[in-house]
Amino acid sequence: MSTMHDAFIEQLKDIYSAETQITKALPKMVEAAHSDELREALQHHLEETRGQIDRLDRIFEELGTPATGKKCKGMEGLLSEGEEGIRSHESGPVGDAVIIANAQRVEHYEIAAYGTVRAWADELELDDAAELLEETLDEEAAADEKLTSIAEGGLLATGVNQEAGGKK
Ligand code: FE
Ligand code: ZN
Ligand code: FE
């Protein structure tokens, strides 16, 4: 019979795979971003993501379990749609709005995943793991909010205005 502890490790492996995939996808998004603010935010989150993988490594080490062995198909799908978005929009405010839309789907997926494992770690009385997962959860939430503020800070309006201008 599988235990809650097994299920916890399975979830963590899925997240590990997701984060690893994200470190490969973010540089492409950084390159495709048109606005400096968006590019810098994505670059910053790439560095944060590397730190999140380090935290997961520490948790796996403590659990005495390898981090690998599972591929997150959910993240694979989200990132593949993200690449599609980059390919089908030229660099500019609209392209940036699409990058943000897809990046926020990734952040929400991560927030859901970390919220669960943080709660499970508490329940399993894995206090160090719970604390590390909480730190990452906070970073994911901040990354999501930053993306919202970039979108609301004029980028959306610029994209819409540009379109209106182009139709004249
Ligand atoms: Fe992450
Ligand atoms: Zn997954
Ligand atoms: Fe993230």
Side-chain angles (χ1 to χ4, degrees):
M1 206 179 74
S2 83
T3 63
M4 206 59 213
H5 194 266
D6 297 333
F8 177 65
I9 288 169
E10 194 178 276
Q11 292 286 327
L12 285 179
K13 285 187 175 192
D14 189 80
I15 294 174
Y16 194 85
S17 163
E19 294 287 20
T20 308
Q21 292 181 56
I22 290 166
T23 58
K24 287 168 192 154
L26 270 171
K28 297 177 210 167
M29 293 160 76
V30 168
E31 207 183 314
H34 179 73
S35 94
D36 292 339
E37 198 187 9
L38 178 58
R39 193 169 42 248
E40 281 156 23
L42 294 168
Q43 182 64 40
H44 174 72
H45 198 52
L46 171 60
E47 278 139 37
E48 262 176 355
T49 301
R50 295 194 177 114
Q52 295 172 356
I53 291 177
D54 288 341
R55 286 193 195 107
L56 290 170
D57 278 323
R58 283 161 65 188
I59 294 171
F60 280 108
E61 206 173 280
E62 217 174 299
L63 294 168
T65 315
T68 51
K70 195 173 188 306
K71 174 149 200 180
C72 180
K73 294 176 201 146
M75 190 52 69
E76 189 179 34
L78 287 178
L79 295 175
S80 134
E81 289 191 0
E83 274 195 48
E84 229 174 86
I86 288 171
R87 273 200 308 272
S88 55
H89 297 274
E90 58 198 53
S91 173
V94 178
D96 279 1
V98 171
I99 290 173
I100 291 175
N102 288 317
Q104 286 196 285
R105 290 189 188 203
V106 169
E107 295 315 317
H108 282 233
Y109 182 107
E110 295 189 277
I111 289 165
Y114 279 107
T116 298
V117 288
R118 192 270 324 265
W120 288 13
D122 270 343
E123 207 57 50
L124 292 162
E125 294 178 4
L126 299 167
D127 298 341
D128 294 344
E131 199 169 309
L132 290 166
L133 294 168
E134 170 90 24
E135 283 171 30
T136 295
L137 180 59
D138 290 345
E139 285 176 356
E140 307 296 17
D144 180 52
E145 278 162 30
K146 177 74 187 170
L147 290 168
T148 297
S149 90
I150 294 172
E152 286 176 348
L155 194 145
L156 276 179
T158 311
V160 172
N161 288 339
Q162 192 186 56
E163 198 157 305
K167 273 178 195 156
K168 273 173 199 163

